[in-house]
Amino acid sequence: MKKREARSWKITVPASTANLGAGFDSLGLALDLYLTVEAVESETWKVTALSPELEVFPSDESHFIVQVAKETAEACGKDLTPCELYVSSDIPLTRGLGSSAAAVVAGVELADVSGGLNLSGQEKLEIAAKYEGHPDNVGASLYGGFVVSCRTDEGVQLMNVSQLPVEVVAVIPKTELKTSESRDVLPGEMSFQESVQGGAVSNVLVAAFLNGDWELAGKMMKEDRYHQPYRRKLLPHYEAVEETARKFGAFGTAISGAGPTIACFAEKGAGQWLLKQLRQSFPSIDIRRLSIDTTGSIVECNEAEQKARPSTL
């Protein structure tokens, strides 16, 4: 009997910035930095890091992406054929740009395509959100664009807006900031009045984004009650970056995710000038101009696998 040709896939997942100021654990924006996983069926699980910063992770089946894939498949009653993974990424690690969320999404996508799970977008979102604990980053990485999300008793609810005329200039410090450390500075509880105010500010922020009222969006980012007042003290450069960014065209600034990256938001077309000015002002910090990814995660099959897959039309 002729041996079946090993199947292979390429999975591409965008980075994300979350919270956008006042939208704590609910707002996310996909960005054009990417985690790429090329998977080829093999006898055993093996992970090869193609980016130097990824070499710190395991090269066997204890790798996080493999664990997510296997657990996802097992939950659906399937066992995956082992694969050799070739992993590359230009998403900075532990900088608040969704590197762990992208890995989660890659694992779920790998389980789905290699295990033939036929998961819906909503099912992928529910699984990924369980790993992250909140749906903002994984939602943006899955769907692309701007996402507004929450958890309810019925599961994750998410609204996606793919097109938004916004650029992000990311100010990325060289020092890491673990999410656990950034979470430790947050209060255990808030007063009812303060919670109501925080929710109201977040609502207006979303409306401002959807209506293209960038000045109002920037004001609401600054009025956050949930996390930025507490996390700013972990970022000694925050106020200087905020002041400089506003001076040179940013309509708002926000701590990206749990930090330490600061996301500076500008209308489309204004990002290059802002990038230049921030680089001149902060020459020792990595600063990048990023666009919104409008596609989300993409799975490409090899030619043989593509022919074998039934048409979805």
Side-chain angles (χ1 to χ4, degrees), residues 127-140:
I127 294 167
K130 287 180 181 177
Y131 281 96
E132 278 291 283
H134 42 89
D136 48 2
N137 286 108
V138 292

Side-chain angles (χ1 to χ4, degrees), residues 3-83:
K3 187 177 180 180
R4 179 174 63 84
E5 181 182 349
R7 299 179 301 166
S8 63
W9 308 273
K10 181 180 179 181
I11 300 166
T12 306
V13 186
S16 56
T17 181
N19 302 327
L20 279 63
F24 185 64
D25 281 1
S26 63
L27 304 185
L29 194 64
L31 301 172
D32 63 344
L33 296 171
Y34 298 95
L35 168 68
T36 302
V37 178
E38 297 185 65
V40 183
E41 287 184 327
S42 182
E43 295 294 324
T44 59
W45 288 101
K46 181 180 178 183
V47 181
T48 300
L50 302 181
S51 301
E53 60 270 23
L54 301 182
E55 293 174 356
V56 298
F57 298 113
S59 59
D60 57 13
E61 64 183 278
S62 65
H63 191 284
F64 183 55
I65 293 175
V66 177
Q67 288 298 303
V68 171
K70 291 179 64 178
E71 290 170 9
T72 299
E74 288 168 7
C76 296
K78 295 286 186 73
D79 289 323
L80 296 182
T81 300
C83 292

